[in-house]
Amino acid sequence: MTVVLVCGVAGAGKSTHARRLEASGFARLSFDEVAWDAGHREHPLPDDVALAIHEDLRARMLALVGEGRDVVVDTSFWSRASRDRYRSWLAEVDVVPVVHHVVAPREVVLARLAARRGAGPHDVVVPPALAERYLVGFEVPTPDEGPLELVPTA
């Protein structure tokens, strides 16, 4: 059984990668889809809302792992602390996740974000100033955290 944590800045192509894994048999859990379904159309979400969504994903992820399913979790995992939180949850059931760091050139990320129109959970509008904050604040995963694969996108 494999659990993949899909990590990257907004606009890098995380959801596209997660859907490819889903097509190969993984159960896909998406932070943005849960938020959208709950009526949240702007990011970043308030801390209490984000925490509740992560708790929901935790419960669903652990249930799927308990069924022996491969799982992909699609959220930014922008900080090491966020990745470590999921690692600690999975350690309780003796699973070591693999981080897939989806990497796209800065200009590609900014162009993708500029093209967003708010039409769905993977099209949430990210204003330029917020996009810059996301790029600057992103904590790049490193091999010392555990299994890591780089996933380049165009």
Side-chain angles (χ1 to χ4, degrees):
M1 167 189 11
T2 302
V3 175
V4 173
L5 308 179
V6 180
C7 165
V9 297
K14 296 180 303 297
S15 297
T16 299
H17 179 64
R19 283 192 293 271
R20 279 194 297 264
L21 291 174
E22 180 181 34
S24 72
F26 281 72
R28 183 176 57 86
L29 301 174
S30 168
F31 181 94
D32 289 341
E33 289 175 12
V34 173
W36 187 270
D37 290 347
H40 300 284
R41 302 295 186 257
E42 294 182 11
H43 288 252
L45 299 178
D47 289 344
D48 62 325
V49 172
L51 180 61
I53 292 171
H54 283 296
E55 286 296 327
D56 175 67
L57 293 177
R58 173 187 183 267
R60 292 167 51 193
M61 175 184 69
L62 292 177
L64 289 162
V65 166
E67 295 170 9
R69 298 279 311 272
D70 292 331
V71 180
V72 56
V73 182
D74 176 13
T75 187
S76 69
F77 289 110
W78 71 269
S79 69
R80 181 171 183 158
S82 66
R83 297 184 295 270
D84 284 347
R85 179 173 55 228
Y86 276 74
R87 282 189 193 96
S88 71
W89 292 337
L90 289 161
E92 295 172 11
V93 293
D94 296 321
V95 172
V96 176
V98 178
V99 171
H100 284 195
H101 179 198
V102 180
V103 182
R106 175 186 178 82
E107 59 277 2
V108 169
V109 166
L110 292 174
R112 287 177 180 169
L113 294 177
R116 289 186 175 185
R117 297 295 173 252
H122 305 291
D123 192 47
V124 173
V125 174
V126 179
L130 183 57
E132 288 294 335
R133 281 188 22 224
Y134 284 169
L135 286 164
V136 170
F138 185 78
E139 296 176 11
V140 175
T142 58
D144 70 302
E145 293 181 35
L148 172 65
E149 291 184 27
L150 296 181
V151 180
T153 64

